[in-house]
């Protein structure tokens, strides 16, 4: 078998299923429903592997809600920071439930959405994020309503709430504490709700996460307020399932050993650049230190500095870890760099190429 040409994203079904099984266990133990957050991962070729383990999808836009309805199925939640007049009817046509970000949007579109379940985003003004770019509780945040009296006034038009204030939170006790703060602040509203979505950002599929304690906490919360709990896992659904496979195109020594690969952090793993994080390579323990760089013109197009077992040479392949979340959804055509193909490693070990991108895709991206 000849190896696929790089660059390509490789989704490993067996690894994806490990996350799915934890999600299914949590649903069973807690009674909570789990919706895939498409903003994080929307590679629909993988949906057939995920569908049986999750209840549906949640979205951030018209196109996401449509993709969720058409490609995933199940329960389809619509949410957006703001909907436009010219899209709201189509959004509603694809959704079982619509969650408005503000009372202004709710009042504007409540009547149009009266045929589906309606809800409102609440902002508890506490979050697990320390990075203001990703902190929904940052000062002057536009993400959700916080004034209980104002929300009480529109309760006749909604039956539930979405609260997303966790961010890459792998600490159960922090989740627990923040949920208690939510209960303190919004308890009276929660008692009047039929459902509450606690959003995403909870890393409960991680190795040491206390899943049973988490399930108990969700179940107790659901019982206390008489609500159906939802979770919206993005990252937790796909973590560690996918790599970006690249090849070395050139090596240089400029005081440090450098390798240039046939990919670009700016084009193919943009999230890392935005959050100023390094990529991950495993293992990363050998004697040869090399800075792995992308091929775009950006001076800082650098995946990171890693330790390899031997010197890198042209043609060597490298697997960059954790390339699914907020990665494939953000890939772009900067510099016209060849877009990574998408491949899936099946359970029997065979690799299926599911999508290749060509010059025509690049050209049609603009006009
Ligand atoms: C409303 C909402 N739900 C779910 C998610 C998914 O979060 P994560 O991928 O961290 O689980 C996000 C992420 O920003 C979000 O804003």
């Amino acid at each position: 078998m000849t190896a696929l040409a790089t660059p390509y994203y490789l989704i490993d079904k067996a690894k994806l299923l490990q996350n799915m099984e934890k999600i299914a266990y949590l649903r069973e133990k807690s009674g909570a429903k789990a919706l895939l957050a498409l903003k994080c991962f929307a590679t629909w070729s993988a949906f057939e592997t995920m569908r049986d383990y999750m209840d549906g999808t949640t979205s951030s836009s018209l196109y996401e809600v449509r993709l969720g309805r058409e490609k995933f199925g199940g329960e389809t939640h619509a949410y957006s920071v703001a909907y436009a007049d010219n899209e709201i009817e189509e959004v509603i046509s694809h959704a079982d439930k619509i969650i408005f970000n503000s009372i202004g949007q709710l009042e504007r579109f409540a009547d149009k959405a009266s045929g589906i379940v309606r809800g409102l985003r609440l902002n508890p003004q506490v979050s697990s994020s320390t990075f203001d770019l990703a902190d929904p509780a940052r000062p002057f945040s536009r993400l959700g309503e916080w004034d209980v009296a104002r929300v009480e006034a529109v309760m006749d038009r909604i039956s539930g709430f979405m609260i997303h204030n966790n961010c890459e939170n792998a600490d159960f006790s922090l989740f627990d504490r923040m949920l208690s703060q939510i209960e303190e602040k919004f308890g009276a509203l929660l008692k009047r709700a039929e459902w509450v979505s606690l959003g995403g950002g909870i890393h409960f599929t991680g190795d040491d996460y206390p899943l049973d304690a988490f399930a108990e906490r969700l179940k107790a919360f659901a019982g206390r307020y008489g609500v159906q709990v939802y979770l919206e896992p993005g990252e937790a659904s796909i973590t560690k399932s996918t790599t970006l496979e690249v090849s070395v195109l050139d090596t240089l020594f400029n005081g440090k050993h450098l390798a240039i690969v046939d990919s670009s952090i700016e084009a193919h793993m943009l999230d890392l650049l935005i959050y100023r994080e390094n990529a991950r390579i495993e293992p990363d323990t050998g004697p040869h230190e090399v800075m792995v760089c992308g091929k775009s013109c950006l001076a800082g197009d650098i995946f990171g500095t890693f330790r390899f077992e031997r010197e890198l040479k042209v043609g060597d392949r490298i697997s960059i870890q954790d390339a699914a979340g907020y990665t494939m959804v953000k890939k772009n055509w900067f510099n016209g760099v060849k877009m990574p193909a998408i491949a899936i490693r099946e359970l029997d070990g065979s690799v299926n190429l599911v999508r290749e991108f060509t010059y025509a895709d690049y050209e049609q991206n603009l006009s």
Side-chain angles (χ1 to χ4, degrees):
M1 197 183 85
T2 49
L4 290 182
T6 59
Y8 61 97
Y9 296 101
L10 178 61
I11 302 170
D12 188 316
K13 250 190 201 176
K15 291 185 183 162
L16 186 57
L17 281 173
Q18 287 175 10
N19 296 331
M20 292 298 111
E21 269 150 23
K22 286 188 184 171
I23 291 175
Y25 179 83
L26 181 74
R27 285 161 76 212
E28 165 85 31
K29 284 261 167 174
S30 67
K33 294 188 179 183
L35 306 176
L36 173 65
L38 293 172
K39 71 183 70 184
C40 172
F41 183 76
T43 309
W44 44 268
S45 315
F47 288 176
E48 64 170 61
T49 312
M50 309 174 82
R51 191 176 287 126
D52 292 345
Y53 299 84
M54 303 186 77
D55 296 281
T57 56
T58 189
S59 54
S60 345
S61 63
L62 167 60
Y63 289 169
E64 279 191 1
V65 75
R66 178 173 170 183
L67 189 87
R69 172 64 88 205
E70 291 182 358
K71 298 284 192 190
F72 199 107
E75 216 172 311
T76 307
H77 284 200
Y79 164 74
S80 174
V81 171
Y83 289 112
D85 288 318
N86 62 9
E87 62 183 2
I88 191 72
E89 274 162 29
E90 196 183 340
V91 168
I92 291 164
S93 77
H94 297 300
D96 300 302
K97 182 181 279 160
I98 186 162
I99 299 160
F100 294 104
N101 182 64
S102 69
I103 291 173
Q105 285 257 305
L106 170 68
E107 286 178 334
R108 190 180 180 93
F109 298 125
D111 289 346
K112 284 203 164 118
S114 61
I116 61 173
V117 178
R118 297 167 300 185
L120 186 64
R121 179 169 184 170
L122 296 180
N123 188 331
Q125 299 177 300
V126 285
S127 116
S128 69
S129 176
T130 50
F131 200 36
D132 71 345
L133 187 61
D135 181 1
R138 61 188 275 151
F140 316 111
S141 173
R142 72 199 186 295
L143 302 172
E145 297 284 356
W146 51 269
D147 183 333
V148 173
R150 287 190 70 228
V151 176
E152 270 172 346
V154 296
M155 280 310 288
D156 57 326
R157 274 159 284 174
I158 56 175
S159 61
F161 300 106
M162 185 267 276
I163 302 166
H164 168 80
N165 68 331
N166 286 277
C167 180
E168 300 198 358
N169 184 4
D171 176 352
F172 170 69
S173 62
L174 175 58
F175 166 80
D176 180 30
R177 279 200 307 281
M178 289 201 310
L179 189 56
S180 299
Q181 289 171 309
I182 288 171
E183 294 182 85
E184 242 167 68
K185 191 173 170 76
F186 294 134
L189 294 174
L190 300 176
K191 283 208 175 106
R192 297 173 65 184
E194 291 167 22
W195 54 271
V196 175
S197 173
L198 295 174
I202 309 161
H203 280 202
F204 63 90
T205 54
D207 281 343
D208 300 318
Y209 200 85
L211 257 192
D212 288 311
F214 183 43
E216 274 309 308
R217 182 68 171 96
L218 296 178
K219 199 170 172 178
F221 177 88
R224 190 167 310 133
Y225 300 101
V227 292
Q228 170 65 55
V229 171
Y230 288 86
L231 297 173
E232 303 177 358
E235 191 67 46
S237 309
I238 46 70
T239 186
K240 295 188 178 158
S241 66
T242 301
T243 51
L244 173 61
E245 302 290 320
V246 301
S247 297
V248 176
L249 298 179
D250 195 12
T251 58
L252 292 81
F253 182 78
N254 283 341
K256 268 189 175 183
H257 289 282
L258 312 180
I260 298 172
V261 298
D262 55 357
S263 176
S264 155
I265 193 163
E266 178 156 42
H268 307 153
M269 289 191 98
L270 180 61
D271 211 46
L272 294 178
L273 197 63
I274 293 174
Y275 288 94
R276 302 246 162 244
E277 286 175 359
N278 281 339
R280 258 189 334 104
I281 286 181
E282 282 172 0
D284 184 8
T285 49
H288 296 278
E289 192 177 271
V290 183
M291 184 188 271
V292 175
C293 310
K295 64 172 282 179
S296 84
C297 63
L298 180 76
D301 191 347
I302 297 165
F303 286 92
T305 300
F306 309 103
R307 308 198 65 91
F308 294 90
E309 283 307 315
R310 54 185 185 77
E311 266 176 45
L312 287 184
K313 22 178 217 1
V314 171
D316 281 349
R317 289 188 172 222
I318 301 173
S319 294
I320 299 173
Q321 301 296 314
D322 242 336
Y326 300 98
T327 296
M328 301 166 90
V329 289
K330 291 192 179 189
K331 62 196 177 57
N332 63 68
W333 285 106
F334 183 56
N335 270 210
V337 177
K338 185 166 170 47
M339 186 64 77
I342 301 173
I344 298 188
R345 182 181 283 127
E346 302 292 336
L347 295 179
D348 65 5
S350 62
V351 173
N352 268 339
L353 182 64
V354 293
R355 181 79 158 94
E356 271 183 298
F357 299 91
T358 62
Y359 172 73
D361 295 301
Y362 167 66
E363 190 231 82
Q364 283 158 31
N365 196 43
L366 290 171
S367 70

